[in-house]
Amino acid sequence: MKTFFKKHKPLTWFFLILWAIIVLFPFYWMVLTSLKEYGAYNAEYTPTFFTLSPTIENYIEAFTAVDLGRYLINTVIFTVITTALMIFVTILAAFAFARLQFSGKNILFTLFLALMMIPGELVVITNFQTITELNLRNTFTGLILPSVTSVFYIYLLRENFAQIPDSLYYAAKVDGTSDWRYLWKVMVPICMPTVVTITILKVIECWNLYIWPSLITDDPKYFLVSNGIQEIRESGFGRANIPAMMAAVVVISIPLIVLFLVYRKQIMSGVVRGGTKG
């Protein structure tokens, strides 16, 4: 297959360009819709692929119809704290499974991986009941707690840690290095691409979270941007205000797009390292 594409470079470029158009078209449509007037958008019987009268009114509407600025700040606070706690827990758990020796470790890790087979939606009710009984609804603590662990990220980092030679660990122990110091001074720097990858993926996950914030918060003071988008959608005069909602989505998507473009090499490197043995 590789030889075929090398011999037919024009065909390769054709498929690459076609795939890029398919992937990027939703983003183009999102930006285009955000630049259409509310009345003009609702008057369209058939979708148009361009507009001759772009407007930024929808972006103004996105910030005036709801308190989108506050929701952005709430989302940043939620994302930073949740990601930091998750990375700390993930590093410690991965180190324990990869380096420490204790009875039943393999059985425990197998049972731990079995949790990946359970859809996250099935534990939402349990989490909701627990958070409610702890009187943590409408608090950042209630928003954050269910998201500070991830079986998949622990597994990914554990596989990465396991690739570090045992001889390096024994040499460090001979020099009197504690497990704690070895973890943060040796293992984490070596596996930094995977740590960066996990961090970015968790940031994206937190930024896009919708179901849990909708369940655990009904106070606008703790709404995230996902709640704000829904509010904007319902702000139309008898119809969904799609252009303003798309404007909000554009604003919200920009940080994630920039984050991915800046760290795309680290993401690819981390995923490759995490899935490679030896």
mmCIF file of all heavy atoms in Angstrom, residues 111-146:
data_model
loop_
_atom_site.group_PDB
_atom_site.id
_atom_site.type_symbol
_atom_site.label_atom_id
_atom_site.label_comp_id
_atom_site.label_asym_id
_atom_site.label_seq_id
_atom_site.Cartn_x
_atom_site.Cartn_y
_atom_site.Cartn_z
ATOM 1 N N LEU A 111 -8.323 -5.855 37.673
ATOM 2 C CA LEU A 111 -9.658 -5.388 38.080
ATOM 3 C C LEU A 111 -9.817 -3.897 37.786
ATOM 4 O O LEU A 111 -10.901 -3.441 37.408
ATOM 5 C CB LEU A 111 -9.866 -5.655 39.573
ATOM 6 C CG LEU A 111 -9.912 -7.128 39.993
ATOM 7 C CD1 LEU A 111 -9.997 -7.243 41.523
ATOM 8 C CD2 LEU A 111 -11.099 -7.834 39.347
ATOM 9 N N PHE A 112 -8.718 -3.173 37.958
ATOM 10 C CA PHE A 112 -8.739 -1.745 37.684
ATOM 11 C C PHE A 112 -9.025 -1.487 36.207
ATOM 12 O O PHE A 112 -9.836 -0.623 35.856
ATOM 13 C CB PHE A 112 -7.392 -1.144 38.089
ATOM 14 C CG PHE A 112 -7.389 0.350 38.182
ATOM 15 C CD1 PHE A 112 -8.126 1.007 39.150
ATOM 16 C CD2 PHE A 112 -6.639 1.111 37.297
ATOM 17 C CE1 PHE A 112 -8.125 2.387 39.242
ATOM 18 C CE2 PHE A 112 -6.628 2.494 37.372
ATOM 19 C CZ PHE A 112 -7.373 3.126 38.353
ATOM 20 N N LEU A 113 -8.375 -2.272 35.329
ATOM 21 C CA LEU A 113 -8.598 -2.116 33.892
ATOM 22 C C LEU A 113 -10.015 -2.514 33.503
ATOM 23 O O LEU A 113 -10.563 -1.989 32.523
ATOM 24 C CB LEU A 113 -7.593 -2.953 33.099
ATOM 25 C CG LEU A 113 -6.133 -2.506 33.131
ATOM 26 C CD1 LEU A 113 -5.281 -3.437 32.294
ATOM 27 C CD2 LEU A 113 -5.989 -1.077 32.636
ATOM 28 N N ALA A 114 -10.609 -3.437 34.264
ATOM 29 C CA ALA A 114 -11.978 -3.865 33.964
ATOM 30 C C ALA A 114 -12.964 -2.698 34.086
ATOM 31 O O ALA A 114 -14.029 -2.716 33.464
ATOM 32 C CB ALA A 114 -12.394 -5.003 34.897
ATOM 33 N N LEU A 115 -12.595 -1.693 34.863
ATOM 34 C CA LEU A 115 -13.469 -0.530 35.001
ATOM 35 C C LEU A 115 -13.616 0.226 33.684
ATOM 36 O O LEU A 115 -14.592 0.964 33.496
ATOM 37 C CB LEU A 115 -12.922 0.417 36.070
ATOM 38 C CG LEU A 115 -12.886 -0.128 37.505
ATOM 39 C CD1 LEU A 115 -12.207 0.874 38.428
ATOM 40 C CD2 LEU A 115 -14.291 -0.439 38.001
ATOM 41 N N MET A 116 -12.641 0.028 32.764
ATOM 42 C CA MET A 116 -12.728 0.693 31.472
ATOM 43 C C MET A 116 -13.900 0.165 30.652
ATOM 44 O O MET A 116 -14.355 0.820 29.704
ATOM 45 C CB MET A 116 -11.420 0.513 30.691
ATOM 46 C CG MET A 116 -10.229 1.197 31.328
ATOM 47 S SD MET A 116 -8.680 0.887 30.436
ATOM 48 C CE MET A 116 -9.032 1.660 28.857
ATOM 49 N N MET A 117 -14.386 -1.018 30.992
ATOM 50 C CA MET A 117 -15.500 -1.611 30.262
ATOM 51 C C MET A 117 -16.845 -1.014 30.673
ATOM 52 O O MET A 117 -17.858 -1.262 30.030
ATOM 53 C CB MET A 117 -15.531 -3.126 30.501
ATOM 54 C CG MET A 117 -14.250 -3.860 30.118
ATOM 55 S SD MET A 117 -13.878 -3.754 28.351
ATOM 56 C CE MET A 117 -12.537 -2.570 28.352
ATOM 57 N N ILE A 118 -16.851 -0.257 31.756
ATOM 58 C CA ILE A 118 -18.096 0.317 32.259
ATOM 59 C C ILE A 118 -18.264 1.717 31.669
ATOM 60 O O ILE A 118 -17.421 2.590 31.890
ATOM 61 C CB ILE A 118 -18.090 0.409 33.795
ATOM 62 C CG1 ILE A 118 -17.872 -0.979 34.409
ATOM 63 C CG2 ILE A 118 -19.394 1.013 34.305
ATOM 64 C CD1 ILE A 118 -17.754 -0.968 35.922
ATOM 65 N N PRO A 119 -19.330 1.961 30.916
ATOM 66 C CA PRO A 119 -19.554 3.311 30.363
ATOM 67 C C PRO A 119 -19.687 4.344 31.474
ATOM 68 O O PRO A 119 -20.285 4.078 32.521
ATOM 69 C CB PRO A 119 -20.872 3.158 29.584
ATOM 70 C CG PRO A 119 -20.998 1.690 29.323
ATOM 71 C CD PRO A 119 -20.358 1.001 30.486
ATOM 72 N N GLY A 120 -19.108 5.510 31.244
ATOM 73 C CA GLY A 120 -19.137 6.557 32.257
ATOM 74 C C GLY A 120 -20.542 6.989 32.636
ATOM 75 O O GLY A 120 -20.791 7.406 33.771
ATOM 76 N N GLU A 121 -21.486 6.863 31.688
ATOM 77 C CA GLU A 121 -22.858 7.280 31.971
ATOM 78 C C GLU A 121 -23.505 6.446 33.066
ATOM 79 O O GLU A 121 -24.431 6.912 33.750
ATOM 80 C CB GLU A 121 -23.708 7.200 30.703
ATOM 81 C CG GLU A 121 -23.384 8.246 29.649
ATOM 82 C CD GLU A 121 -22.112 7.926 28.885
ATOM 83 O OE1 GLU A 121 -21.575 6.809 29.082
ATOM 84 O OE2 GLU A 121 -21.657 8.788 28.098
ATOM 85 N N LEU A 122 -23.027 5.196 33.238
ATOM 86 C CA LEU A 122 -23.646 4.317 34.228
ATOM 87 C C LEU A 122 -23.338 4.739 35.660
ATOM 88 O O LEU A 122 -24.080 4.382 36.579
ATOM 89 C CB LEU A 122 -23.186 2.871 34.004
ATOM 90 C CG LEU A 122 -23.644 2.204 32.699
ATOM 91 C CD1 LEU A 122 -23.151 0.772 32.637
ATOM 92 C CD2 LEU A 122 -25.168 2.240 32.582
ATOM 93 N N VAL A 123 -22.250 5.470 35.861
ATOM 94 C CA VAL A 123 -21.885 5.872 37.221
ATOM 95 C C VAL A 123 -22.330 7.296 37.537
ATOM 96 O O VAL A 123 -22.083 7.790 38.636
ATOM 97 C CB VAL A 123 -20.358 5.750 37.431
ATOM 98 C CG1 VAL A 123 -19.901 4.313 37.255
ATOM 99 C CG2 VAL A 123 -19.595 6.674 36.483
ATOM 100 N N VAL A 124 -22.982 7.950 36.574
ATOM 101 C CA VAL A 124 -23.420 9.330 36.802
ATOM 102 C C VAL A 124 -24.431 9.394 37.945
ATOM 103 O O VAL A 124 -24.364 10.275 38.813
ATOM 104 C CB VAL A 124 -24.015 9.926 35.509
ATOM 105 C CG1 VAL A 124 -24.733 11.235 35.814
ATOM 106 C CG2 VAL A 124 -22.924 10.161 34.482
ATOM 107 N N ILE A 125 -25.374 8.448 37.965
ATOM 108 C CA ILE A 125 -26.404 8.455 39.007
ATOM 109 C C ILE A 125 -25.777 8.262 40.378
ATOM 110 O O ILE A 125 -26.121 8.953 41.348
ATOM 111 C CB ILE A 125 -27.464 7.369 38.731
ATOM 112 C CG1 ILE A 125 -28.186 7.670 37.421
ATOM 113 C CG2 ILE A 125 -28.459 7.290 39.888
ATOM 114 C CD1 ILE A 125 -29.184 6.607 37.016
ATOM 115 N N THR A 126 -24.831 7.318 40.470
ATOM 116 C CA THR A 126 -24.145 7.080 41.747
ATOM 117 C C THR A 126 -23.376 8.315 42.193
ATOM 118 O O THR A 126 -23.423 8.709 43.366
ATOM 119 C CB THR A 126 -23.193 5.885 41.631
ATOM 120 O OG1 THR A 126 -23.927 4.728 41.213
ATOM 121 C CG2 THR A 126 -22.535 5.597 42.964
ATOM 122 N N ASN A 127 -22.657 8.927 41.261
ATOM 123 C CA ASN A 127 -21.914 10.144 41.593
ATOM 124 C C ASN A 127 -22.847 11.272 42.019
ATOM 125 O O ASN A 127 -22.554 12.012 42.967
ATOM 126 C CB ASN A 127 -21.087 10.598 40.385
ATOM 127 C CG ASN A 127 -19.899 9.691 40.122
ATOM 128 O OD1 ASN A 127 -19.444 8.988 41.014
ATOM 129 N ND2 ASN A 127 -19.400 9.712 38.903
ATOM 130 N N PHE A 128 -23.966 11.398 41.319
ATOM 131 C CA PHE A 128 -24.920 12.447 41.653
ATOM 132 C C PHE A 128 -25.477 12.247 43.065
ATOM 133 O O PHE A 128 -25.573 13.199 43.847
ATOM 134 C CB PHE A 128 -26.072 12.443 40.639
ATOM 135 C CG PHE A 128 -27.150 13.448 40.943
ATOM 136 C CD1 PHE A 128 -26.989 14.785 40.610
ATOM 137 C CD2 PHE A 128 -28.312 13.062 41.581
ATOM 138 C CE1 PHE A 128 -27.974 15.712 40.901
ATOM 139 C CE2 PHE A 128 -29.310 13.978 41.876
ATOM 140 C CZ PHE A 128 -29.133 15.305 41.524
ATOM 141 N N GLN A 129 -25.816 11.000 43.394
ATOM 142 C CA GLN A 129 -26.351 10.722 44.727
ATOM 143 C C GLN A 129 -25.302 10.986 45.805
ATOM 144 O O GLN A 129 -25.607 11.557 46.858
ATOM 145 C CB GLN A 129 -26.836 9.274 44.802
ATOM 146 C CG GLN A 129 -27.478 8.904 46.137
ATOM 147 C CD GLN A 129 -28.013 7.485 46.147
ATOM 148 O OE1 GLN A 129 -27.922 6.779 45.145
ATOM 149 N NE2 GLN A 129 -28.565 7.055 47.277
ATOM 150 N N THR A 130 -24.062 10.583 45.534
ATOM 151 C CA THR A 130 -22.991 10.792 46.505
ATOM 152 C C THR A 130 -22.731 12.272 46.743
ATOM 153 O O THR A 130 -22.640 12.732 47.891
ATOM 154 C CB THR A 130 -21.695 10.111 46.018
ATOM 155 O OG1 THR A 130 -21.942 8.716 45.809
ATOM 156 C CG2 THR A 130 -20.591 10.276 47.057
ATOM 157 N N ILE A 131 -22.605 13.028 45.658
ATOM 158 C CA ILE A 131 -22.346 14.464 45.778
ATOM 159 C C ILE A 131 -23.506 15.167 46.477
ATOM 160 O O ILE A 131 -23.299 16.079 47.299
ATOM 161 C CB ILE A 131 -22.097 15.080 44.393
ATOM 162 C CG1 ILE A 131 -20.797 14.526 43.786
ATOM 163 C CG2 ILE A 131 -22.025 16.597 44.474
ATOM 164 C CD1 ILE A 131 -19.552 14.820 44.586
ATOM 165 N N THR A 132 -24.733 14.749 46.188
ATOM 166 C CA THR A 132 -25.901 15.361 46.822
ATOM 167 C C THR A 132 -25.926 15.080 48.314
ATOM 168 O O THR A 132 -26.206 15.970 49.135
ATOM 169 C CB THR A 132 -27.197 14.844 46.171
ATOM 170 O OG1 THR A 132 -27.188 15.148 44.764
ATOM 171 C CG2 THR A 132 -28.415 15.497 46.810
ATOM 172 N N GLU A 133 -25.628 13.831 48.698
ATOM 173 C CA GLU A 133 -25.626 13.477 50.123
ATOM 174 C C GLU A 133 -24.533 14.202 50.887
ATOM 175 O O GLU A 133 -24.650 14.423 52.096
ATOM 176 C CB GLU A 133 -25.472 11.963 50.274
ATOM 177 C CG GLU A 133 -26.701 11.175 49.814
ATOM 178 C CD GLU A 133 -26.497 9.680 49.915
ATOM 179 O OE1 GLU A 133 -25.341 9.267 50.207
ATOM 180 O OE2 GLU A 133 -27.465 8.924 49.696
ATOM 181 N N LEU A 134 -23.465 14.572 50.187
ATOM 182 C CA LEU A 134 -22.378 15.327 50.825
ATOM 183 C C LEU A 134 -22.626 16.844 50.803
ATOM 184 O O LEU A 134 -21.759 17.610 51.235
ATOM 185 C CB LEU A 134 -21.050 15.023 50.123
ATOM 186 C CG LEU A 134 -20.519 13.590 50.252
ATOM 187 C CD1 LEU A 134 -19.286 13.399 49.379
ATOM 188 C CD2 LEU A 134 -20.193 13.268 51.707
ATOM 189 N N ASN A 135 -23.792 17.235 50.299
ATOM 190 C CA ASN A 135 -24.156 18.657 50.202
ATOM 191 C C ASN A 135 -23.140 19.457 49.381
ATOM 192 O O ASN A 135 -22.765 20.572 49.754
ATOM 193 C CB ASN A 135 -24.302 19.273 51.607
ATOM 194 C CG ASN A 135 -25.459 18.680 52.386
ATOM 195 O OD1 ASN A 135 -26.526 18.416 51.834
ATOM 196 N ND2 ASN A 135 -25.240 18.453 53.677
ATOM 197 N N LEU A 136 -22.716 18.861 48.282
ATOM 198 C CA LEU A 136 -21.713 19.511 47.436
ATOM 199 C C LEU A 136 -22.283 19.964 46.095
ATOM 200 O O LEU A 136 -21.520 20.345 45.199
ATOM 201 C CB LEU A 136 -20.538 18.552 47.198
ATOM 202 C CG LEU A 136 -19.697 18.214 48.422
ATOM 203 C CD1 LEU A 136 -18.617 17.202 48.065
ATOM 204 C CD2 LEU A 136 -19.076 19.467 49.024
ATOM 205 N N ARG A 137 -23.606 19.926 45.955
ATOM 206 C CA ARG A 137 -24.201 20.464 44.731
ATOM 207 C C ARG A 137 -23.996 21.976 44.694
ATOM 208 O O ARG A 137 -23.960 22.635 45.709
ATOM 209 C CB ARG A 137 -25.693 20.138 44.645
ATOM 210 C CG ARG A 137 -25.988 18.656 44.464
ATOM 211 C CD ARG A 137 -27.447 18.403 44.120
ATOM 212 N NE ARG A 137 -27.738 18.816 42.762
ATOM 213 C CZ ARG A 137 -28.535 19.819 42.457
ATOM 214 N NH1 ARG A 137 -29.095 20.542 43.431
ATOM 215 N NH2 ARG A 137 -28.769 20.141 41.197
ATOM 216 N N ASN A 138 -23.859 22.498 43.463
ATOM 217 C CA ASN A 138 -23.622 23.927 43.266
ATOM 218 C C ASN A 138 -22.350 24.395 43.973
ATOM 219 O O ASN A 138 -22.309 25.451 44.602
ATOM 220 C CB ASN A 138 -24.825 24.759 43.738
ATOM 221 C CG ASN A 138 -26.042 24.572 42.844
ATOM 222 O OD1 ASN A 138 -25.923 24.548 41.626
ATOM 223 N ND2 ASN A 138 -27.194 24.418 43.462
ATOM 224 N N THR A 139 -21.314 23.561 43.876
ATOM 225 C CA THR A 139 -19.980 23.928 44.380
ATOM 226 C C THR A 139 -18.942 23.445 43.376
ATOM 227 O O THR A 139 -19.181 22.485 42.628
ATOM 228 C CB THR A 139 -19.683 23.293 45.743
ATOM 229 O OG1 THR A 139 -19.642 21.865 45.616
ATOM 230 C CG2 THR A 139 -20.734 23.673 46.785
ATOM 231 N N PHE A 140 -17.785 24.095 43.373
ATOM 232 C CA PHE A 140 -16.706 23.636 42.509
ATOM 233 C C PHE A 140 -16.193 22.268 42.963
ATOM 234 O O PHE A 140 -15.757 21.462 42.142
ATOM 235 C CB PHE A 140 -15.563 24.656 42.506
ATOM 236 C CG PHE A 140 -15.805 25.816 41.588
ATOM 237 C CD1 PHE A 140 -15.985 27.099 42.099
ATOM 238 C CD2 PHE A 140 -15.871 25.647 40.217
ATOM 239 C CE1 PHE A 140 -16.213 28.176 41.268
ATOM 240 C CE2 PHE A 140 -16.104 26.721 39.370
ATOM 241 C CZ PHE A 140 -16.280 27.991 39.898
ATOM 242 N N THR A 141 -16.243 22.011 44.255
ATOM 243 C CA THR A 141 -15.819 20.703 44.765
ATOM 244 C C THR A 141 -16.673 19.593 44.182
ATOM 245 O O THR A 141 -16.158 18.546 43.753
ATOM 246 C CB THR A 141 -15.907 20.673 46.303
ATOM 247 O OG1 THR A 141 -15.128 21.736 46.840
ATOM 248 C CG2 THR A 141 -15.395 19.342 46.848
ATOM 249 N N GLY A 142 -17.986 19.800 44.148
ATOM 250 C CA GLY A 142 -18.876 18.801 43.565
ATOM 251 C C GLY A 142 -18.645 18.618 42.085
ATOM 252 O O GLY A 142 -18.777 17.505 41.556
ATOM 253 N N LEU A 143 -18.294 19.690 41.387
ATOM 254 C CA LEU A 143 -17.988 19.582 39.960
ATOM 255 C C LEU A 143 -16.707 18.802 39.704
ATOM 256 O O LEU A 143 -16.610 18.013 38.767
ATOM 257 C CB LEU A 143 -17.849 20.985 39.361
ATOM 258 C CG LEU A 143 -19.116 21.739 38.973
ATOM 259 C CD1 LEU A 143 -18.780 23.189 38.649
ATOM 260 C CD2 LEU A 143 -19.791 21.080 37.786
ATOM 261 N N ILE A 144 -15.717 19.014 40.578
ATOM 262 C CA ILE A 144 -14.367 18.512 40.322
ATOM 263 C C ILE A 144 -14.175 17.058 40.743
ATOM 264 O O ILE A 144 -13.560 16.266 40.001
ATOM 265 C CB ILE A 144 -13.338 19.420 41.035
ATOM 266 C CG1 ILE A 144 -13.310 20.801 40.371
ATOM 267 C CG2 ILE A 144 -11.946 18.793 41.035
ATOM 268 C CD1 ILE A 144 -12.541 21.834 41.164
ATOM 269 N N LEU A 145 -14.678 16.674 41.912
ATOM 270 C CA LEU A 145 -14.339 15.380 42.500
ATOM 271 C C LEU A 145 -14.513 14.174 41.562
ATOM 272 O O LEU A 145 -13.619 13.330 41.487
ATOM 273 C CB LEU A 145 -15.143 15.166 43.785
ATOM 274 C CG LEU A 145 -14.617 15.858 45.044
ATOM 275 C CD1 LEU A 145 -15.505 15.546 46.237
ATOM 276 C CD2 LEU A 145 -13.184 15.422 45.329
ATOM 277 N N PRO A 146 -15.633 14.024 40.849
ATOM 278 C CA PRO A 146 -15.794 12.822 40.012
ATOM 279 C C PRO A 146 -14.838 12.748 38.820
ATOM 280 O O PRO A 146 -14.784 11.717 38.155
ATOM 281 C CB PRO A 146 -17.258 12.932 39.531
ATOM 282 C CG PRO A 146 -17.919 13.846 40.478
ATOM 283 C CD PRO A 146 -16.862 14.837 40.862
#
